[in-house]
Amino acid sequence: MWGTMISAASLHRLRAQGLPVSLAWCSYEAATCWIVVALDTRKLAATGLTERRLADAVAEALFGSHTGWLVPKVLLVADDIDITDIDQVVWALATRHHPATGHYVYPEAPGIPMVPYLTDDEVRAGRGGKSVVSCLLPADFEGETRGVTASFRNSFPEDVRRRVTDRWTAYGFPAPSETPRPAA
């Protein structure tokens, strides 16, 4: 429940700062140690922000707030990723994050001392262990799309997806626990 409230408050704060945010979500699997922020890439391109300036703006908006005090890591993704689906977030981190350019550390940002990986010095100081990780592609800042994510949802027409899901159990598979989402 805590993560859901942090998500809503963070979304409001980021939008109030004029950032082109579609959604913010603290996944339960990450134990509120990260918040994923989806950006409207068309609006992002219109801002003229660089990756660094975007990361700094997000860090300033969140890490200076109560919700940002609670969450040490921010992952930035394009809004073609369903950030409520942990598998899609992991895929975005694995395939879109460039470790040489997409990782920004904020060692002086205040934070909750309960984060397990903090050093003793960081716990005593109440600072450190904060970062923004960009899973945005360079084209996202230019309003371009390099490609479409290959997936059941994106690679097949809706009528084909519907026929497959309607016949799923007839194919010998257990009933899906979730109805596939319509194409975005």
Side-chain angles (χ1 to χ4, degrees):
M1 203 56 176
W2 191 17
T4 303
M5 299 306 115
I6 290 170
S7 300
S10 296
L11 177 62
H12 176 75
R13 184 154 183 91
L14 290 163
R15 285 181 174 168
Q17 295 300 312
L19 294 168
V21 175
S22 301
L23 188 61
W25 184 248
C26 284
S27 68
Y28 301 126
E29 295 85 352
T32 318
C33 283
W34 76 24
I35 187 166
V36 185
V37 175
L39 290 129
D40 181 323
T41 55
R42 285 186 210 108
K43 290 180 182 176
L44 174 61
T47 68
L49 289 171
T50 63
E51 184 177 76
R52 178 68 207 216
R53 286 182 41 219
L54 174 64
D56 287 346
V58 168
E60 183 179 333
L62 290 183
F63 296 156
S65 71
H66 181 69
T67 57
W69 181 76
L70 296 167
V71 180
K73 297 177 191 135
V74 180
L75 279 67
L76 305 176
V77 301
D79 58 1
D80 66 327
I81 300 298
D82 176 356
I83 63 174
T84 65
D85 180 343
I86 193 67
D87 291 338
Q88 289 190 38
V89 173
V90 169
W91 180 87
L93 182 60
T95 63
R96 295 183 176 178
H97 169 67
H98 192 299
T101 59
H103 193 88
Y104 306 94
V105 179
Y106 301 88
E108 295 304 314
I112 189 168
M114 295 171 54
V115 178
Y117 62 74
L118 292 176
T119 67
D120 289 341
D121 289 341
E122 289 169 328
V123 169
R124 279 191 294 280
R127 297 190 175 282
K130 300 279 187 170
S131 68
V132 174
V133 175
S134 177
C135 300
L136 296 165
L137 298 171
D140 294 331
F141 292 88
E142 299 162 4
E144 298 174 12
T145 302
R146 265 179 60 181
V148 176
T149 304
S151 67
F152 182 66
R153 182 173 55 133
N154 291 332
S155 300
F156 297 95
E158 187 173 347
D159 65 317
V160 171
R161 291 192 318 270
R162 190 173 297 117
R163 279 197 318 262
V164 169
T165 56
D166 288 348
R167 298 178 187 161
W168 194 247
T169 54
Y171 295 144
F173 296 103
S177 59
E178 176 182 289
T179 304
R181 295 178 185 94

